[in-house]
Amino acid sequence: MPPSPPHAVLLISCADAPGIVRALASFVADHGGNILDSDQHLDRATSVFFTRLAFTLEGFRVPREEIAERVRELLADRSPHLQVRFSDQVKRGAILVSKTNHCLYDLLLRQESGELRCEFPLVISNHDRMRSVAEHFEVPYHHLPVDRETKQEQETQILELLERERIDFVVLARYMQILSPRLVDRYSAQIINIHHSFLPAFSGARPYHQAHQRGVKVIGATGHYVTADLDEGPIIAQDVVHVSHRDSVRDLVHKGRDLEKVVLARAVRVHVEDRVLVYANKTVVFE
Amino acid sequence: MPPSPPHAVLLISCADAPGIVRALASFVADHGGNILDSDQHLDRATSVFFTRLAFTLEGFRVPREEIAERVRELLADRSPHLQVRFSDQVKRGAILVSKTNHCLYDLLLRQESGELRCEFPLVISNHDRMRSVAEHFEVPYHHLPVDRETKQEQETQILELLERERIDFVVLARYMQILSPRLVDRYSAQIINIHHSFLPAFSGARPYHQAHQRGVKVIGATGHYVTADLDEGPIIAQDVVHVSHRDSVRDLVHKGRDLEKVVLARAVRVHVEDRVLVYANKTVVFE
Amino acid sequence: MPPSPPHAVLLISCADAPGIVRALASFVADHGGNILDSDQHLDRATSVFFTRLAFTLEGFRVPREEIAERVRELLADRSPHLQVRFSDQVKRGAILVSKTNHCLYDLLLRQESGELRCEFPLVISNHDRMRSVAEHFEVPYHHLPVDRETKQEQETQILELLERERIDFVVLARYMQILSPRLVDRYSAQIINIHHSFLPAFSGARPYHQAHQRGVKVIGATGHYVTADLDEGPIIAQDVVHVSHRDSVRDLVHKGRDLEKVVLARAVRVHVEDRVLVYANKTVVFE
Amino acid sequence: MPPSPPHAVLLISCADAPGIVRALASFVADHGGNILDSDQHLDRATSVFFTRLAFTLEGFRVPREEIAERVRELLADRSPHLQVRFSDQVKRGAILVSKTNHCLYDLLLRQESGELRCEFPLVISNHDRMRSVAEHFEVPYHHLPVDRETKQEQETQILELLERERIDFVVLARYMQILSPRLVDRYSAQIINIHHSFLPAFSGARPYHQAHQRGVKVIGATGHYVTADLDEGPIIAQDVVHVSHRDSVRDLVHKGRDLEKVVLARAVRVHVEDRVLVYANKTVVFE
């Protein structure tokens, strides 16, 4: 099977109206592109139309930097929300981590094996513990300790690092600090967190303890975009596993780890492949 | 494979101490019984011991009506909570239902096929709609309408029916009325409800609408014992199914139906097979 | 939410080439239609392109009976395989059943509740047992007994019934007879069977016994189109459930029933919604 | 919660008869032990009884080395198959691996985090590629290349290494060589393999290719003990994941990796915790 050629991905949401698909398909074909993949969704309750369109760039006669503008003109009367991505511009992600290593290993391994199409040029932590993991994968590790007084300064350092390394998105791989609105706003819908419960159940601290206390028979994990409201951001991926009375909190933690890894990886994968659109605090995920 | 012979089931919870298993095993063997199945659980955080012990009754030299007393003596210094059941005394259940039929059909079919070892001599509804279903399965149907003013009277009628028919347990098969404490107390840990969400998420009304609104990627169902606090009772069984942005509320309702049936049936099955112990608002389910 | 308006569904597979999406989108838009849903898939190994396109019929200026021809012309140089369906022409299905009732009840209930968009005007059985079920749902029941000698004659009667009732598709809801090539060919990719294992494991007779014998830890069910090779047809849907050493063959049968119902219903649902394309003995299912 | 104290685990299978549970419970209690956990299973088709009994060793008045003998005497007339294990004698495992690293990382990480109660003092490979992984976890790595001519000699070296390092069990973590009967017999029911399909489907080579070819909608993984018949050994754990027509063979490989890791870890976990009994080429797994 030949590798996928360089292609553009359009992610569009706009007011629904007849002819959008034709307009986009004609735009692509008229300028020498070939549609590789297209997916669409109509939210019939709100009449909002969503689409993801991937097309070949080789021989495409509109310069890359003009594509967004041209598509925007095409849909001008439908006030589109639009993103244009290019498959050969690999996204650069920063991983933020505290003291547990399972999500960190998992992301770095999936990246190394080619399963995640992105780069991780940066691991940042408020502890020094994960340094050897990052170094094993030859990723620069930045230890930026934080306490109540240095919180603001630490975030300034984080922001500088992200800027300097031209970071596109951030993964909170069990990072046990709450980010300030400044950081969240700067990377809106670009910061992915893993919460160790099936939200909205057990938001907040120590969800496995809460789950054990309540005596649930399934536990879950949720990958979501970070917003100003803690644990209230748009959900990208969720999954659960069965538990029983035999499972202590420690067992839940162990079982939950496998979930957290898989769910976080799934959320990161669809994000870096430009498969996620956010609207009304929800996501459309074009798999 | 020979059918299971008549047997007794002991369900015991008590303070943990060495020798309980021996004491019970000796009690059974000394009087001519044979242990068919035994399961146990130690809650190490609270040092409470739970066990389910099934043993043959043929040739057992303690009369049935004395077994509870004798076991209680055996464990007197551990303040046991004790239930004794006999496999040939089939439990009698009443099904309460409102306007949807999927759980009702499902329970009656599973009972008819021998999957649920119980009888359903009674269907009660606040509407007349499900009469033909009950009659198809030759189960008496009682239509007891309810409004704010007749609520108390209707419950009195329900209680009388349950007493008259010697009902052991009640299944709320999508019964859209809140039971009064009088009824709940009378059948403590004997009323099973199906809630159409993975509790504690989306308790209360219209959980599928809530789930759609929040944009979750899994929906669930919860079978639980009814307590005075709505949707807060001990959870017996839970399961979930994946959903996506493509699923409208109506799709969630359809997908949820399959869950509701399966989860409610699972909860009823372990209840009628005397596999459930309740403690600290949680359940131990010995599968 | 407004109900879905009458629409046409195109199901197309053809050799891949640039411009297909544009050609189809233009065809729809140029004649006054609006695309409601479109999905596509490119099998990159074989360069075969698959698409499902749903568009509104109101105001569409090509008569229904000409649509297929016009689309065929459009794609003439790509030797398309093409089907055109109309959402207001509800499919008519016959259910064939032997002695077990769970799949029969399940299909009739889902049809009744509006979950399955089709009609079931006909139940055919080689036994008389399921008559009361069909009659409860007011569906005509035809008892056509079969033995080795009457096999051919019985199939002739089945074929006549299917023709007379203008049946579009057939569901084998645990029908324990092998169909002859004559019947299979007549309803190619229109006969759906439920096999009670995760094919290709445990094809043939008594799969639960085989599964128990082998000591597997999951059992499954498979919904597939019937072909001349038994249990070898294109798979439409599959699912599994966990089992353990505690499960006897009888337990597997019970657990399997839930699977069979859900998997068969899923296969029937995507079939009647024109979401399935068959190629190379596999299916593309556009959910 | 206090850590689990040192305890003994009895794993017994024998002909069923009344009084076994009492005999074992009395043996433990009479000599000053306390039962921590007991589980049992009766295969009613063959009348074989299985039990797992864990009891405290502190103050137990039978010396460890005599326990097996004493229990054997107790059950002498039932020809028991018996194993005695001690929780403070941590099992030592060797990991055999070829060219893929995901199962290797996974096992070493779970061991390091305390999730797997065992040691891995040895990684053996027919390639040199995984050396850096082993070294990162400070585990000695042995590169023993193999071709058709050196096969026997390589196995002799493996056996010597296993003996020298007092290895209790072997994990084939995607080891792409077939072991000779000599090695399989030496470690009977002590060699765990991960096969990347839901056996018995797709045994043999390239199961993901076979699965893709057949067009299945679920793929699976199977953890099993290795026997002389390839892919025919007793199954310990299985799980599956859903796939669709969109998944290329490469996607199946990616999705399968997560399954392989989780299923292999589950099989290893129950093995090292002495929860598995083998009989009739099947397993009883006491979770």
Side-chain angles (χ1 to χ4, degrees), chain A residues 4-102:
Chain A
S4 185
H7 55 271
V9 175
L10 300 181
L11 284 172
I12 302 171
S13 59
C14 63
D16 187 38
I20 298 179
V21 176
R22 177 183 45 174
L24 292 171
S26 295
F27 171 74
V28 171
D30 290 348
H31 298 94
N34 187 23
I35 292 176
L36 292 174
D37 195 20
S38 93
D39 207 343
Q40 60 179 77
H41 171 63
L42 173 61
D43 187 274
R44 297 184 63 218
T46 59
S47 282
V48 178
F49 175 86
F50 303 86
T51 192
R52 179 185 188 274
L53 193 76
F55 59 92
T56 49
L57 283 167
E58 202 188 342
F60 193 66
R61 290 183 298 266
V62 181
R64 290 185 179 204
E65 61 279 11
E66 292 179 22
I67 292 175
E69 190 50 33
R70 300 284 289 276
V71 173
R72 207 177 303 276
E73 282 166 19
L74 218 60
L75 305 172
D77 50 340
R78 283 136 192 167
S79 41
H81 183 84
L82 173 69
Q83 300 170 56
V84 184
R85 305 289 164 74
F86 303 103
S87 66
D88 50 7
Q89 290 178 4
V90 174
K91 282 197 173 57
R92 295 167 62 81
I95 302 174
L96 270 62
V97 66
S98 288
K99 289 184 186 174
T100 55
N101 64 16
H102 57 287

Side-chain angles (χ1 to χ4, degrees), chain B residues 242-270:
Chain B
H242 283 261
V243 298
S244 82
H245 62 271
R246 298 200 185 277
D247 291 298
S248 65
V249 171
R250 189 162 177 263
D251 295 326
L252 299 191
V253 169
H254 283 174
K255 288 190 171 184
R257 269 186 210 147
D258 283 332
L259 269 185
E260 294 165 25
K261 290 188 291 190
V262 167
V263 170
L264 180 56
R266 203 184 298 160
V268 171
R269 184 178 61 72
V270 292

Side-chain angles (χ1 to χ4, degrees), chain B residues 8-250:
Chain B
V9 174
L10 300 181
L11 284 172
I12 302 171
S13 59
C14 63
D16 186 38
I20 298 179
V21 175
R22 182 194 28 185
L24 293 170
S26 295
F27 171 75
V28 171
D30 289 350
H31 298 94
N34 187 22
I35 293 176
L36 291 174
D37 195 19
S38 93
D39 207 342
Q40 59 178 78
H41 172 61
L42 173 60
D43 187 275
R44 297 184 65 215
T46 60
S47 281
V48 178
F49 176 87
F50 303 85
T51 192
R52 180 183 188 272
L53 194 75
F55 59 91
T56 51
L57 283 166
E58 201 187 346
F60 193 65
R61 291 183 298 267
V62 181
R64 289 186 179 204
E65 60 278 13
E66 292 179 22
I67 292 175
E69 190 50 33
R70 298 285 289 276
V71 173
R72 208 177 301 278
E73 282 167 18
L74 217 60
L75 305 173
D77 51 340
R78 283 140 191 165
S79 41
H81 182 84
L82 173 68
Q83 300 170 58
V84 185
R85 306 287 164 75
F86 303 104
S87 66
D88 50 8
Q89 290 177 6
V90 174
K91 282 198 173 57
R92 294 168 62 81
I95 302 175
L96 272 62
V97 67
S98 289
K99 289 184 186 173
T100 55
N101 64 15
H102 58 286
C103 285
L104 178 60
Y105 264 112
D106 190 71
L107 290 169
L108 294 174
L109 278 167
R110 288 181 200 269
Q111 192 276 332
E112 186 185 76
S113 75
E115 189 180 324
L116 289 179
R117 280 192 263 146
C118 64
E119 292 169 7
F120 288 123
L122 199 57
V123 173
I124 300 172
S125 179
N126 52 334
H127 296 276
D128 202 41
R129 266 205 217 176
M130 298 296 110
R131 183 179 296 279
S132 68
V133 182
E135 288 178 349
H136 175 61
F137 291 91
E138 299 177 359
V139 177
Y141 185 86
H142 296 264
H143 175 205
L144 302 177
V146 65
D147 58 31
R148 212 167 297 171
E149 284 165 28
T150 62
K151 172 103 187 154
Q152 212 169 346
E153 190 191 314
Q154 188 237 25
E155 273 215 352
T156 303
Q157 288 178 294
I158 292 177
L159 269 166
E160 282 172 10
L161 272 171
L162 300 182
E163 297 285 354
R164 190 204 308 158
E165 292 289 338
R166 292 162 292 114
I167 293 300
D168 297 300
F169 71 104
V170 176
V171 186
L172 307 186
R174 302 296 312 272
Y175 182 64
M176 308 310 277
Q177 297 290 320
I178 294 169
L179 304 182
S180 73
R182 182 172 53 139
L183 192 47
V184 171
D185 289 350
R186 170 63 188 80
Y187 288 88
S188 171
Q190 306 286 347
I191 307 178
I192 299 166
N193 183 45
I194 182 72
H195 184 79
H196 39 317
S197 82
F198 49 91
L199 291 174
F202 310 128
S203 60
R206 307 198 357 138
Y208 293 130
H209 286 79
Q210 292 183 57
H212 191 259
Q213 175 69 19
R214 179 63 184 93
V216 291
K217 302 300 186 187
V218 292
I219 58 168
T222 304
H224 65 96
Y225 286 122
V226 174
T227 57
D229 289 329
L230 193 65
D231 301 335
E232 294 290 328
I235 294 170
I236 309 168
Q238 289 188 299
D239 218 332
V240 305
V241 68
H242 283 261
V243 298
S244 82
H245 62 271
R246 298 200 185 277
D247 291 298
S248 65
V249 171
R250 189 162 177 263

Side-chain angles (χ1 to χ4, degrees), chain C residues 212 216-218 242-248 252 255, chain D residues 283 285:
Chain C
H212 190 260
V216 291
K217 302 300 186 188
V218 293
H242 283 261
V243 298
S244 81
H245 62 271
R246 298 199 185 278
D247 291 298
S248 64
L252 299 191
K255 288 190 170 183
Chain D
T283 63
V285 179

Side-chain angles (χ1 to χ4, degrees), chain B residues 266-287:
Chain B
R266 203 184 298 160
V268 171
R269 184 178 61 72
V270 292
H271 179 83
V272 301
E273 294 180 4
D274 298 311
R275 298 183 175 281
V276 191
L277 281 157
V278 174
Y279 79 110
N281 204 42
K282 302 200 275 190
T283 62
V284 168
V285 179
F286 287 125
E287 285 277 11

Side-chain angles (χ1 to χ4, degrees), chain C residues 39 198 212 217 238 246, chain D residues 39 198 217 238 246 282:
Chain C
D39 208 341
F198 49 90
H212 190 260
K217 302 300 186 188
Q238 290 188 298
R246 298 199 185 278
Chain D
D39 207 342
F198 49 89
K217 301 300 187 187
Q238 289 188 298
R246 295 198 186 279
K282 302 202 277 191

